[in-house]
Amino acid sequence: RLFGGEVRGITLGERVVPEFSRKLHVAAEPLVIRREWPVWRSWDFGLNPACVWAQPLPGGQGVNILGSRTGINMGLAQLILYEVLPFQERYGLVVARHLGTGYRGSRGGYKFSDVGDPAGGQRDQSNSESSAARTLENMLGTSFIPGPVPWSARRDALHTAFARKGYGDRLFVQLDPDENDMLIQALDSKCVYPVDPATGRINASVEAMKRASGVFSHGLDALGYLLAHLFPAEEWLKRQILTPPPPTPRPKSWLGA
C-alpha cells in the first residue's frame, strides 16, 4: 500500500513511531563504520532478546544504526553466539588482534559501550549468580549500563530522535538498509498501539504495544533504550525552547529607514 508516496504494510493499530519514514530515515547505501567513533550496543532481554548497534556522530549531530538482530525463542547467550559475534566479525567490529580482511568500513580498535533493559540486572531464579547483564559482560568483556525504566522516556526519545534534523541534509537517525530488516519493519508498521474497534480509543501502554507487536517490539525497545540514554527527549526539547529564533529582518521603507 502507498502512504504519502511510500510503500508500507497494513497497520493494524496506531504506529508507535509515526515520525519514521523509509525514504528519509533508511540510508540509500550501506553505512560506513568509522573506527574513530565509539560503537554502542543496546539490548532488550527476555525470551526474544534483541541487540542494536549504533554509532553517534561527533557533536551530537546524529546517530547511525549500523545493524540490529532479534533472537526468536532463544536465550541471550545463543543470540550472542549465533547473531552478535558473527555480525561483528563480518564487519570487523573486533579488537585488532582478531582482524581479518574484507570488512566494510574502518578496521579494528573499536570502543564499545553497552546499554539496555535494566531488568537484565535481576538474578536468575534458578541461579543466584546469573543474570542477563552478567552473561553479557562475561561473554563480551564489557560493562552493562542499565537504561531508563519508564516507557515514557523511551517513547519520547524515539519521537524526538526521528523528528529531528541532523547534520547537513540528513535527518538525525539513519538506518543501514541491509542490516536492519526487522527494525525497519517495526518502525514502519509492525510496532503499534492497539485500537479498540468499538470506541476508537488507543491503548498506548508499553504492555499493550508489546502484545500487539509481538517479536517486532524487542528491537524497537532496544533502540528506545539507546536513544533515551544518549539523547533524552527533555534535554533536546529544553534546548529548542531556550534557543532564540533567528532575528527577523526589519523591512525598510522606500526612504531606507
Side-chain angles (χ1 to χ4, degrees), residues 249-257:
R250 182 180 176 184
K252 295 183 178 181
S253 71
W254 66 277
L255 294 175

Side-chain angles (χ1 to χ4, degrees), residues 45-62:
F45 301 126
L47 181 60
N48 302 298
C51 177
V52 172
W53 291 264
Q55 281 193 313
L57 275 64
Q61 300 181 91

